[in-house]
Amino acid sequence: MSSIIFINYFFLFLLFKLILADENRELIFVYEHARHGARGPSASHAAYLNNGVDEFGVYWGTDGELTQIGKRQHYYLGIRNKVKYANLLNFSEYNPMEILIHSTDYNRTHQSIMSELYAMYEDIREKNLTEKEENFNMVNTKYHGLSDWVTYEISTRINEIGPKINKINFPIFNIRQFPSKRIFLVDDCIKLNNYRAEMTGEKVKEFYKEFDENFAGPLGKFMNKSKEYFHSYDRMKSLTDHFICDYDNKRDLSHLKYYDLDIIKFYLYSKRFYGHFIFEYFIDNYTAALEETHLMQDLIGYMDRRIKYYPETTYKAPKMVMDCGHDTTVGPIAKFMATTFNIKYHEFCEFACNVYFELYKGNGNTYTVNYYLDDELLINQMDYNEFKKKMQDHFWNESYMNEVCGTVEDMIIDNKSPLERHSKTLLALTIVFSILFLAFFVSSIIILTKYHKLKKRVRENSLLSKDLDTDSNLSLY
């Protein structure tokens, strides 16, 4: 009985110690990287999107644009940030020194991150103009060249908003593109193509076999295609991705039931196939480090500078970095973290899937890191120096990257077939042999012509023939 009481007290002591340790930590930096929210089908690779209609007869009208659901997903993340990081950021005033924002150059990513920022800063408005500021002068106060009614309308609408800067009175956020060579590095690594085919070929064949057994019949009837039509990797990526878009955005797919397609079963298959593309083909345990080295070096740099400049906030040492990308940017981070720290990763990177890294300051000069995958805590209070060393131990250096991927010159050569690569040499040899053949052909014609002329003269001149015979007989002695 006493041992049980001792164990209970011991666990209570540990729990109290953990709570106390967590309270003694101060959050000083957050890095977020999220996929855009739900979107419509995208016409990339071998994708089928004809006049805004996808493979399943669902009309979209746009190409890969963010949906209403997608905007709400990121508004949710923004509220999450606002609640969880209320002691880190001042959400009553947008300060571009506190937060650094990156997005890829797509409408869906820009709209996603904007929805998130709207939620985080939804309570703030631009400051009103002072009385002196309100009486500003335009460059041309009389609007020369405009008609009277246009001038009147401008003045009326400006007067209506009074001292507000604009009618909506909401701040504009500074969204930057990612620095160069931070994402999609494996797209330029041409030597990976053979590696990918070797590593994933058998698994892809299994996916084709499963498709043939369960879905080729119904979808083949619906699309009027043979099962061989679906045995294209890019086409299957399109097919599964578009079905996920239709299903997740609550589009009507009931018409497919008339072709005996099990919608739920195909939805789960689609997620497994596309998840395999992200986590086994696009990158894997080995190539995740190639894709993530530069971006994770940036992460370590953010944390180092935050520690160096703390408690000061500067453009070089912001309190938060928000990156908005794709499943092909979030997925590789999750895979890299899984291989580096032996933790889990996504089987499928859902719309708005995300990772968060939090840096805490403890007593003295101690710093710890938390890591979340879709808000599941996978690394808890790891010493920052240990975290940093493990990350750096898995980074690739530039020379190794070039060795694996090849230099630009290597890529150019590798892109060419042997015939293209030696085309100049083959052309030169062709010209030389053509000239020699032509010379031989012309010489043969000349010799044959002379021979036939000589033979004709011999037949026509009997005396010459006799002289030739005599000369021939004399030569025998």
Side-chain angles (χ1 to χ4, degrees):
M1 182 71 177
S2 60
S3 61
I4 295 175
I5 294 173
F6 173 77
I7 292 172
N8 288 335
Y9 274 115
F10 178 73
F11 278 111
L12 283 173
F13 171 75
L14 287 180
L15 180 61
F16 176 76
K17 189 174 180 180
L18 286 172
I19 294 172
L20 186 63
D22 193 59
E23 288 179 349
N24 288 335
R25 295 197 307 162
E26 178 188 358
L27 179 63
I28 64 172
F29 174 78
V30 173
Y31 173 74
E32 171 198 349
H33 195 122
R35 184 190 182 189
H36 58 76
R39 58 161 170 80
S42 176
S44 58
H45 301 294
Y48 178 90
L49 197 62
N50 187 16
N51 295 324
V53 179
D54 67 17
E55 295 97 326
F56 305 100
V58 177
Y59 176 76
W60 287 88
T62 57
D63 182 355
E65 296 296 343
L66 196 70
T67 64
Q68 299 296 90
I69 290 176
K71 293 175 183 178
R72 173 56 71 89
Q73 287 177 314
H74 272 267
Y75 188 84
Y76 174 96
L77 285 179
I79 293 295
R80 171 213 181 275
N81 292 343
K82 183 178 180 181
V83 173
K84 189 172 184 184
Y85 303 132
N87 293 328
L88 175 68
L89 295 171
N90 179 13
F91 292 112
S92 64
E93 180 181 353
Y94 170 61
N95 183 350
M97 282 200 301
E98 286 192 338
I99 184 167
L100 175 62
I101 310 160
H102 296 123
S103 171
T104 56
D105 194 19
Y106 291 86
N107 286 341
R108 57 181 176 267
T109 49
H110 276 266
Q111 290 181 341
S112 293
I113 201 70
M114 285 299 295
S115 293
E116 201 165 325
L117 291 164
Y118 286 153
M120 292 166 64
Y121 295 98
E122 64 183 352
D123 297 326
I124 71 172
R125 296 292 182 268
E126 294 278 15
K127 294 180 180 178
N128 285 347
L129 297 167
T130 65
E131 186 176 349
K132 289 183 179 180
E133 289 173 336
E134 192 175 353
N135 295 322
F136 72 97
N137 289 322
M138 291 296 293
V139 175
N140 187 341
T141 57
K142 295 184 178 179
Y143 306 103
H144 291 300
L146 297 178
S147 62
D148 290 342
W149 76 268
V150 172
T151 302
Y152 172 78
E153 282 294 323
I154 292 173
S155 299
T156 300
R157 296 188 186 188
I158 290 293
N159 291 333
E160 284 175 355
I161 65 173
K164 293 200 305 183
I165 293 174
N166 54 62
K167 189 172 184 178
I168 298 175
N169 220 359
F170 203 76
I172 301 298
F173 303 105
N174 185 15
I175 301 176
R176 308 163 185 254
Q177 289 194 33
F178 284 86
S180 63
K181 295 186 178 179
R182 293 305 190 274
I183 52 178
F184 310 134
L185 300 189
V186 292
D187 284 343
D188 296 325
C189 191
I190 295 177
K191 287 186 177 180
L192 281 185
N193 290 339
N194 290 337
Y195 170 82
R196 286 166 164 170
E198 181 180 348
M199 297 300 293
T200 64
E202 292 303 315
K203 183 61 179 178
V204 172
K205 288 179 182 177
E206 291 178 16
F207 274 116
Y208 289 161
K209 181 180 179 182
E210 182 181 354
F211 181 88
D212 290 347
E213 292 173 353
N214 297 283
F215 312 114
L219 288 176
K221 290 178 183 177
F222 174 72
M223 299 173 64
N224 194 26
K225 301 291 184 182
S226 66
K227 66 180 182 181
E228 287 76 21
Y229 171 83
F230 301 101
H231 292 187
S232 160
Y233 195 64
D234 280 343
R235 187 170 291 124
M236 282 296 292
K237 279 163 53 184
S238 169
L239 192 77
T240 53
D241 173 65
H242 290 191
F243 193 82
I244 293 167
C245 291
D246 291 340
Y247 189 93
D248 284 355
N249 284 288
K250 314 301 180 185
R251 295 303 177 105
D252 184 11
L253 295 167
S254 60
H255 56 284
L256 296 175
K257 294 180 180 178
Y258 294 106
Y259 296 87
D260 297 323
L261 178 69
D262 188 326
I263 291 176
I264 301 298
K265 190 174 182 179
F266 185 61
Y267 173 69
L268 295 175
Y269 170 87
S270 296
K271 293 177 74 171
R272 284 191 293 110
F273 183 93
Y274 210 83
H276 174 269
F277 160 65
I278 297 297
F279 295 107
E280 303 299 332
Y281 182 87
F282 185 74
I283 50 92
D284 62 10
N285 289 337
Y286 174 60
T287 58
L290 163 64
E291 178 66 19
E292 286 310 313
T293 288
H294 291 164
L295 194 62
M296 293 297 97
Q297 284 173 335
D298 283 352
L299 171 63
I300 297 299
Y302 297 140
M303 291 182 170
D304 281 345
R305 288 191 295 275
R306 192 74 195 110
I307 292 171
K308 178 181 177 181
Y309 287 97
Y310 176 85
E312 183 182 358
T313 302
T314 72
Y315 287 110
K316 290 184 178 180
K319 293 182 178 181
M320 186 173 187
V321 175
M322 297 174 64
D323 287 350
C324 190
H326 310 262
D327 48 6
T328 47
T329 63
V330 180
I333 297 176
K335 189 77 167 184
F336 175 80
M337 293 298 294
T339 56
T340 302
F341 295 95
N342 193 29
I343 54 180
K344 67 181 290 187
Y345 63 93
H346 303 284
E347 292 183 0
F348 174 76
C349 193
E350 304 277 358
F351 291 121
C353 61
N354 54 81
V355 294
Y356 280 86
F357 296 82
E358 298 173 345
L359 176 65
Y360 291 84
K361 185 181 186 304
N363 294 326
N365 291 320
T366 61
Y367 298 90
T368 53
V369 174
N370 284 5
Y371 166 70
Y372 297 85
L373 177 68
D374 290 338
D375 269 334
E376 182 177 354
L377 182 60
L378 299 182
I379 294 177
N380 185 26
Q381 299 189 34
M382 177 178 285
D383 177 75
Y384 174 63
N385 290 323
E386 179 187 355
F387 172 82
K388 179 178 177 180
K389 185 178 185 305
K390 283 191 174 183
M391 295 281 275
Q392 291 176 331
D393 287 345
H394 284 77
F395 291 162
W396 286 18
N397 59 46
E398 298 299 323
S399 60
Y400 187 62
M401 288 184 183
N402 290 335
E403 180 183 341
V404 172
C405 291
T407 62
V408 174
E409 291 77 10
D410 293 333
M411 291 179 187
I412 293 173
I413 291 173
D414 288 343
N415 259 335
K416 294 180 179 179
S417 66
L419 185 62
E420 292 173 322
R421 194 176 302 141
H422 302 292
S423 59
K424 292 184 178 179
T425 303
L426 292 173
L427 179 61
L429 289 173
T430 302
I431 293 172
V432 170
F433 281 113
S434 297
I435 293 173
L436 291 174
F437 175 77
L438 184 61
F440 174 78
F441 181 73
V442 171
S443 300
S444 299
I445 292 175
I446 293 172
I447 292 171
L448 286 173
T449 301
K450 288 185 177 182
Y451 171 75
H452 286 298
K453 286 182 178 180
L454 179 60
K455 190 175 181 181
K456 182 179 180 181
R457 286 177 62 195
V458 169
R459 284 199 304 268
E460 293 175 350
N461 193 332
S462 58
L463 181 60
L464 178 60
S465 177
K466 184 178 180 180
D467 289 340
L468 289 174
D469 288 340
T470 302
D471 291 341
S472 177
N473 290 334
L474 289 173
S475 66
L476 294 175
Y477 292 93

